[in-house]
């Protein structure tokens, strides 16, 4: 049986939004260390700024999310110049401001970093064939973002292996690259994490084991959703992915009210565009 981690239940809740897909393949992607690295980058450059009160969901404008969707769909691999200028081995390093591109946002950078890694041929991930389709790619990666924010807000997201950098890229490039290696980017400190992940899923290549896990978790997710319809893993995934539909409808109905989820509150205001600065000097998160 698969070892349960902090990601398992929420990942299976996300998988319930894609019932035709292999839920273990989705869990394999969610538990890959690249997701942690991408989220540490998000927190370090922007997300912590939006948290005004601990325990309260940040308010994000629909215009910012719309721009994130457009940036990701236009360039899902992320970064100026594509993979030719980007090292993504072991999750790679965060993009420098020069390579992010003018249209990139913190959300599109998060999704692109995971997508670029997952689409490499050598990991041979089962989920990569699903990610080829836009109708799956965006909501799946957006749902992974929701998982990370939810765990982070509950103080359950895994702690960084190194302290997050307290200097910006503009301070000094060499110092910045030294500080982000291991904290926001791959270093040999992450080698054991990757091996634990690899060995866990190597052992699950047997279809009988995968099917048993899928059946067990699908029944458990259903039971919890029936007993707790407004706080279950399945309902969290449904609500967060619903942000994508809300943002789309804002174009047709500018008077649309707020859309509230556990992870964030999205408001419609054509004049609002809460773009965080490209780099921020800040203290570490309170719960890290």
């Amino acid at each position: 049986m698969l070892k349960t981690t902090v990601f398992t239940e929420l990942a299976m809740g996300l998988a319930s939004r894609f019932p035709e897909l292999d839920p273990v393949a989705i869990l394999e992607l969610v538990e890959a260390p690249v997701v942690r690295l991408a989220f540490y980058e998000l927190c370090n450059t922007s997300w912590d700024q939006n948290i005004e009160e601990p325990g309260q969901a940040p308010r994000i404008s629909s215009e910012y999310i719309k721009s994130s969707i457009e940036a990701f769909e236009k360039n899902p691999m992320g970064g100026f110049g594509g993979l030719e200028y980007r090292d993504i081995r072991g999750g790679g390093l965060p993009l420098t401001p020069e390579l992010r591109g003018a249209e990139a946002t913190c959300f599109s950078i998060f999704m692109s970093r995971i997508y670029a890694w997952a689409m490499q041929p050598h990991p041979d991930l089962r989920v990569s064939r699903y990610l080829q389709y836009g109708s799956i790619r965006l909501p799946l990666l957006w749902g992974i973002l929701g998982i990370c924010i939810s765990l982070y807000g509950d103080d359950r997201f895994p702690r960084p292996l190194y302290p997050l950098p307290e200097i910006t890229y503009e301070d000094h490039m060499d110092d910045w690259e030294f500080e982000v290696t291991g904290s926001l980017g791959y270093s040999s400190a992450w080698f054991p994490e990757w091996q634990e992940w690899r060995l866990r899923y190597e052992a699950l290549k047997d279809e009988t084991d995968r099917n048993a896990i899928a059946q067990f978790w699908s029944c458990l997710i259903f039971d919890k959703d029936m007993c707790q319809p407004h706080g279950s893993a399945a309902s969290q995934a449904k609500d967060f992915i619903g942000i994508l539909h809300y943002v789309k409808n804002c174009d047709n109905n500018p008077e649309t009210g707020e859309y509230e989820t556990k992870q964030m509150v999205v408001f419609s205001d054509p004049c609002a565009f809460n773009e965080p600065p490209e780099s921020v000097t800040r203290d570490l998160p309170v719960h890290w």
Side-chain angles (χ1 to χ4, degrees):
M1 181 61 70
L2 178 70
K3 174 186 175 183
T4 300
T5 71
V6 69
F7 294 101
T8 306
E9 185 170 341
L10 290 178
M12 289 300 182
L14 174 61
S16 72
R17 306 306 305 163
F18 306 91
E20 301 88 354
L21 309 186
D22 176 3
V24 179
I26 294 175
L27 178 62
E28 182 178 18
L29 177 60
V30 174
E31 291 191 333
V34 65
V35 171
R36 291 169 56 184
L37 289 168
F39 190 66
Y40 297 147
E41 179 182 6
L42 175 71
C43 288
N44 187 251
T45 57
S46 58
W47 184 252
D48 289 339
Q49 285 187 301
N50 284 298
I51 302 176
E52 297 178 358
E53 294 291 338
Q56 291 188 3
R59 291 172 54 81
I60 309 294
S61 77
S62 61
E63 287 297 308
Y64 184 73
I65 296 176
K66 180 182 176 183
S67 69
S68 300
I69 294 169
E70 291 173 349
F72 176 71
E73 291 184 331
K74 183 177 181 180
N75 182 18
M77 286 290 182
F80 175 77
L83 295 184
E84 182 179 353
Y85 299 93
R86 186 173 194 177
D87 181 359
I88 54 176
R89 290 171 296 177
L93 293 172
L95 289 174
T96 63
E98 289 87 347
L99 294 181
R100 289 174 189 165
E103 298 177 348
T105 72
C106 66
F107 296 149
S108 70
I109 290 170
F110 172 87
M111 293 188 289
S112 291
R113 186 169 180 180
I114 298 170
Y115 176 75
W117 174 82
M119 295 306 290
Q120 297 176 100
H122 56 272
D124 194 24
L125 299 179
R126 185 173 299 202
V127 75
S128 64
R129 68 187 187 212
Y130 308 146
L131 294 174
Q132 297 176 35
Y133 303 100
S135 60
I136 295 176
R137 179 171 58 236
L138 175 62
L140 181 56
L141 293 168
W142 181 257
I144 293 175
L145 172 64
I147 290 173
C148 294
I149 295 174
S150 181
L151 291 173
Y152 186 65
D154 291 341
D155 198 16
R156 294 195 298 136
F157 197 83
R159 298 174 67 86
L161 299 188
Y162 289 89
L164 301 185
E166 297 185 14
I167 63 172
T168 68
Y169 177 81
E170 289 77 7
D171 291 334
H172 196 283
M173 184 180 69
D174 292 338
D175 292 338
W176 180 84
E177 289 183 345
F178 175 79
E179 289 221 9
V180 300
T181 301
S183 57
L184 309 183
Y186 179 76
S187 75
S188 59
W190 282 91
F191 188 46
E193 300 284 333
W194 278 107
Q195 292 309 301
E196 179 184 351
W197 170 84
R198 183 185 67 82
L199 293 172
R200 182 158 66 248
Y201 288 97
E202 282 288 332
L204 282 174
K205 287 189 174 180
D206 181 82
E207 291 294 334
T208 302
D209 291 341
R210 295 179 76 93
N211 291 337
I213 291 168
Q215 185 174 25
F216 170 81
W217 275 101
S218 62
C219 292
L220 185 62
I221 291 297
F222 169 77
D223 288 343
K224 290 196 173 186
D225 195 42
M226 291 295 290
C227 297
Q228 191 184 10
H230 300 296
S232 67
S235 65
Q236 284 190 43
K238 178 182 178 181
D239 291 346
F240 196 74
I241 292 176
I243 291 174
L244 302 177
H245 301 287
Y246 169 84
V247 170
K248 181 179 179 180
N249 291 331
C250 283
D251 289 341
N252 303 323
N253 183 11
E255 302 301 323
T256 302
E258 295 182 345
Y259 185 94
E260 185 173 353
T261 70
K262 175 183 177 182
Q263 298 89 341
M264 65 176 70
V265 177
V266 184
F267 63 94
S268 175
D269 184 350
C271 299
F273 196 82
N274 57 333
E275 169 73 66
E278 288 186 339
S279 56
V280 181
T281 302
R282 61 164 188 78
D283 296 328
L284 297 183
V286 174
H287 47 290
W288 278 349

